[in-house]
Amino acid sequence: MADGPMTPVVIAGIAAASVGLALLLYLLVGPRPARVPLQRLNPDAPPPDGALTKAADVATSAVERALESRGGAIERGLELAGIRRKPQDAVFLTLVAMIVAFAVGLLLEGLVVGLLLAAVVPVGAYFWIRFRIDRRRQEFADQLDDTLQLMASSLRAGHSLPQSLDAISKQAEVPTSEEFARVTNETRVGRDMNAALLDTASRMESEDFLWVAQAIAINRQSGGNLAEVLDGVAHTIRERNQIRRQVKALSAEGRLSALILILLPIFVGGFVYLTNPGYILKLTENVIGWAMLTVAGLLYIVGGLWMRKTIQIKF
């Protein structure tokens, strides 16, 4: 930050930080009422929570009350991503990261950079969760072939279908083991197995597993050798995966080119801004410059979407 008199925003930030630090010190070392520790009455009792733990619990409880309307969507996203955290904990951590990013940007460059860094945190968290969801679904699809072979082998050994699903939940890899454990648990508490399998296919967005669920439902109604049916479905899925890998290999060059073209303007603009800020800030001095930036941003978005549709092959 440039030398000079402190702005009211900086003064307010320092004042807020001072008040927060004073409250924290009061909670940590302030006077407490005399009370007999619980460990003296019960040696096996866990140690009491500290002030920071209590403060974090109060904050997460407040976030939980604020998320009563949208907590379900956040919880579903965390569940699909395989993140074992409560929605209020994830939102609280994001808010803390936003505050830290804002403070760092405010101290280094100023208010605008602080606000930009604070805005980047939730966007980055969203894309990170989306990345975890897509990777988890892809791992489930890659493991489906081995899953069906294991299920068919278990059926040939004389096990029932619920026993086969339970065996997969214990022997398969993550995330297949987690999804089949959920199906097993839901079936044990009375939910229909076909509904649980269809829900898994919808949650994983797997068309291949949808075929498996439909094949199992038809077999349970009409009877027959389910192991042979699963072998046939597994063969079809294996062939589809082979074609999918070939398409992915052939389109690798196009996807890499699209990624470079999308990231190149960002890196070039950032490099010019860091090395010669006055050169690029001239675009912000008049209306024509802002219009050029707006048109460039719109063309950048349209071009990125166009390249994404070009290299995205669905079959």
Side-chain angles (χ1 to χ4, degrees):
M1 182 181 299
D3 296 334
M6 291 188 297
T7 62
V9 176
V10 177
I11 296 176
I14 296 175
S18 302
V19 173
L21 181 60
L23 291 175
L24 180 61
L25 291 177
Y26 177 80
L27 291 174
L28 292 177
V29 300
R32 294 180 176 84
R35 54 186 301 180
V36 179
L38 182 61
Q39 290 180 318
R40 292 181 57 182
L41 303 176
N42 184 8
D44 297 330
D49 295 334
L52 290 178
T53 304
K54 294 179 180 178
D57 292 339
V58 172
T60 52
S61 299
V63 174
E64 182 180 5
R65 290 192 296 270
L67 291 177
E68 291 180 354
S69 60
R70 299 199 58 183
I74 300 176
E75 183 178 5
R76 178 175 176 82
L78 295 175
E79 180 185 1
L80 291 176
I83 301 175
R84 300 182 179 277
R85 283 191 177 276
K86 297 180 180 179
Q88 58 268 24
D89 294 340
V91 174
F92 177 71
L93 291 176
T94 304
L95 293 176
V96 172
M98 290 177 62
I99 295 174
V100 173
F102 174 76
V104 172
L106 184 64
L107 295 176
L108 293 181
E109 293 293 338
L111 178 62
V112 176
V113 176
L115 293 176
L116 289 177
L117 291 180
V120 166
V121 171
V123 176
Y126 170 78
F127 283 105
W128 179 66
I129 292 177
R130 289 300 311 177
F131 170 76
R132 291 282 302 265
I133 293 174
D134 294 339
R135 187 180 65 177
R136 191 168 182 268
R137 286 171 173 169
Q138 184 61 44
E139 290 176 352
F140 180 84
D142 294 338
Q143 298 169 6
L144 187 55
D145 184 15
D146 297 334
T147 301
L148 295 181
Q149 291 182 357
L150 180 60
M151 186 185 301
S153 300
S154 178
L155 292 173
R156 289 193 184 93
H159 296 162
S160 62
L161 181 58
Q163 291 175 338
S164 301
L165 297 178
D166 183 61
I168 293 174
S169 66
K170 297 177 181 178
Q171 301 177 14
E173 298 179 356
V174 177
T176 301
S177 59
E178 297 176 348
E179 293 299 325
F180 275 78
R182 178 169 180 167
V183 172
T184 302
N185 294 332
E186 290 178 353
T187 305
R188 287 174 178 173
V189 298
R191 188 180 185 187
D192 182 67
M193 182 180 296
N194 295 337
L197 293 174
L198 291 175
D199 187 37
T200 301
S202 175
R203 188 166 54 250
M204 292 290 103
E205 293 185 355
S206 175
E207 184 179 358
D208 295 337
F209 191 75
L210 179 61
W211 294 351
V212 176
Q214 292 174 350
I216 292 176
I218 294 173
N219 181 268
R220 294 183 66 187
Q221 293 179 358
S222 60
N225 193 338
L226 182 57
E228 293 183 358
V229 175
L230 294 178
D231 285 337
V233 176
H235 177 73
T236 303
I237 294 175
R238 195 179 304 114
E239 296 294 331
R240 282 170 53 87
N241 289 337
Q242 183 178 358
I243 298 175
R244 186 182 293 111
R245 295 187 187 98
Q246 291 178 355
V247 172
K248 188 176 181 179
L250 294 175
S251 62
E253 182 180 357
R255 288 185 284 109
L256 181 60
S257 301
L259 181 62
I260 293 175
L261 291 175
I262 291 175
L263 296 180
L264 187 61
I266 299 177
F267 282 103
V268 172
F271 177 76
V272 174
Y273 176 77
L274 293 176
T275 56
N276 191 3
Y279 181 80
I280 197 171
L281 289 179
K282 290 184 179 298
L283 294 172
T284 63
E285 295 178 355
N286 50 56
V287 179
I288 299 177
W290 283 107
M292 294 173 63
L293 290 176
T294 303
V295 173
L298 293 176
L299 292 177
Y300 179 81
I301 295 174
V302 172
L305 295 175
W306 192 313
M307 287 187 292
R308 183 175 181 271
K309 295 296 293 185
T310 303
I311 63 177
Q312 189 178 22
I313 302 175
K314 295 183 179 181
F315 57 92

